[in-house]
């Protein structure tokens, strides 16, 4: 029987937003002549291994990410590393840690008075990242801290709060404080949404305060998505 090749962990991939390991990332390893030596795929622990006998001490090689799960930006730049072995022939090249950065979309939360159309300043809200299967808030896998898209932010004089780069994922609104003269928003609190590759470049949550029964609707999706915007309208009750 042939001896099994000696392998070593070469790369670990981590989601920079959640601290979770990222599987199914594919890397190409090339030599100094740009010849492809092998491809390596991260496992469920986010680790990519390589057979160490393919490398020579002191030689320079490159690794390039060629595939990642589709919620992440792909960094296709080649990166150099030097293969190093100690006097006993043990691999001593430091493990390479690579962060995965999620793709993003712009999110705008807008509060308006339904009767006057005037913007409502002073709505304080939080958007928490949740597990789409359980609905529980996600925590950072490395720090154990709860993950928020934003926490205790406030709509401005235009009734808006803008998040220019919201990472893809599933989220839940929590209204902390209503604008003066309004009740806490039962329809905004607990409202969940997902940002993924099918989401437009800009997502607007237009929250209007009215005495009508709560209605949640997506307005003119077919038309608005053409210009890369979707508007979610949420109507809720005004304090009597």
């Amino acid at each position: 029987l042939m001896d099994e090749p000696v392998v070593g962990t070469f790369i670990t991939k981590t989601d920079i937003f959640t601290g979770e390991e990222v599987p199914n990332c594919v890397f190409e390893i090339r030599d100094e002549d740009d010849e492809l030596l092998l491809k390596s795929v991260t496992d469920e622990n986010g680790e990519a291994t390589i057979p160490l006998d393919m490398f020579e001490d002191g030689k320079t090689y490159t690794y390039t990410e060629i595939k990642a799960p589709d919620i992440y930006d792909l960094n296709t730049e080649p990166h150099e590393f030097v293969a190093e072995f100690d006097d006993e022939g043990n691999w001593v090249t430091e493990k390479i840690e690579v962060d995965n950065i999620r793709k993003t979309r712009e999110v705008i939360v807008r509060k308006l008075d339904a009767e006057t159309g005037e913007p409502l300043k002073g709505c304080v809200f939080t958007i928490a990242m949740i597990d789409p299967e359980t609905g529980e808030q996600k925590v950072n896998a490395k720090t154990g801290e709860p993950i928020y898209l934003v926490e205790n932010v406030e709509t401005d004089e235009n009734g808006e709060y803008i998040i220019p780069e919201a990472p893809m994922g599933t989220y839940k609104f929590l209204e902390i404080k209503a604008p003066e003269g309004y009740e806490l928003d039962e329809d905004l609190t607990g409202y969940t949404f997902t940002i993924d590759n099918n989401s437009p470049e800009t997502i607007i949550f237009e929250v209007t305060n009215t005495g009508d029964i709560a209605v949640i609707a997506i307005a003119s999706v077919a038309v608005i998505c053409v210009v890369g915007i979707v508007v979610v309208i949420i109507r809720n009750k005004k304090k009597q």
Side-chain angles (χ1 to χ4, degrees):
L1 293 176
M2 295 181 62
D3 292 337
E4 291 289 327
V6 177
V7 298
T9 299
F10 173 59
I11 288 174
T12 61
K13 290 283 284 183
T14 304
D15 186 313
I16 196 170
F17 189 49
T18 66
E20 297 170 317
E21 294 84 7
V22 183
N24 301 318
C25 297
V26 182
F27 290 90
E28 284 186 348
I29 314 296
R30 293 178 179 270
D31 64 15
E32 293 176 326
D33 298 321
D34 201 35
E35 292 293 326
L36 178 63
L37 296 180
L38 76 151
K39 294 181 181 180
S40 185
V41 184
T42 55
D43 60 18
E44 65 274 8
N45 298 314
E47 295 181 343
T49 58
I50 53 175
L52 302 183
D53 57 4
M54 294 186 68
F55 299 90
E56 295 182 44
D57 186 43
K59 289 287 186 72
T60 299
Y61 301 86
T62 61
Y63 69 89
T64 305
E65 188 173 22
I66 62 170
K67 185 179 179 181
D70 61 7
I71 65 168
Y72 297 103
D73 282 325
L74 188 63
N75 182 359
T76 58
E77 289 293 320
H79 298 274
E80 290 187 347
F81 69 98
V82 177
E84 294 181 312
F85 297 84
D86 62 18
D87 293 339
E88 285 75 40
N90 299 309
W91 177 263
V92 294
T93 299
E94 290 190 10
K95 185 168 58 179
I96 298 168
E97 297 183 357
V98 182
D99 290 328
N100 273 62
I101 299 174
R102 293 183 179 226
K103 297 175 185 176
T104 62
R105 297 290 188 265
E106 181 183 44
V107 171
I108 300 173
V109 178
R110 181 183 296 155
K111 271 275 193 175
L112 303 174
D113 185 292
E115 295 178 3
T116 66
E118 293 181 358
L120 298 178
K121 180 182 178 180
C123 169
V124 181
F125 64 94
T126 287
I127 303 177
M129 187 178 221
I130 62 172
D131 186 307
E133 295 182 359
T134 66
E136 297 295 320
Q137 183 171 1
K138 289 182 71 70
V139 298
N140 187 286
K142 292 190 179 299
T143 67
E145 294 294 320
I147 302 173
Y148 297 99
L149 180 55
V150 291
E151 187 178 11
N152 295 336
V153 296
E154 182 175 337
T155 53
D156 61 16
E157 61 274 7
N158 298 314
E160 291 185 345
Y161 188 87
I162 300 173
I163 307 165
E165 296 183 340
M168 289 186 175
T170 299
Y171 299 94
K172 178 172 70 175
F173 277 101
L174 300 167
E175 187 169 65
I176 309 302
K177 178 184 175 183
E180 186 176 353
Y182 294 86
E183 295 178 342
L184 277 176
D185 191 338
E186 296 177 359
D187 304 307
L188 182 62
T189 294
Y191 182 78
T192 63
F193 66 99
T194 297
I195 305 172
D196 57 23
N197 283 285
N198 295 318
S199 300
E201 292 300 317
T202 297
I203 304 166
I204 300 174
F205 292 93
E206 188 168 287
V207 187
T208 60
N209 289 71
T210 176
D212 295 340
I213 297 174
V215 177
I216 298 175
I218 296 179
S220 305
V221 174
V223 175
I224 297 175
C225 280
V226 173
V227 294
I229 297 175
V230 66
V231 179
V232 178
I233 298 178
I234 306 174
R235 296 186 176 91
N236 62 286
K237 296 180 180 179
K238 185 176 179 179
K239 183 181 292 183
Q240 300 299 317

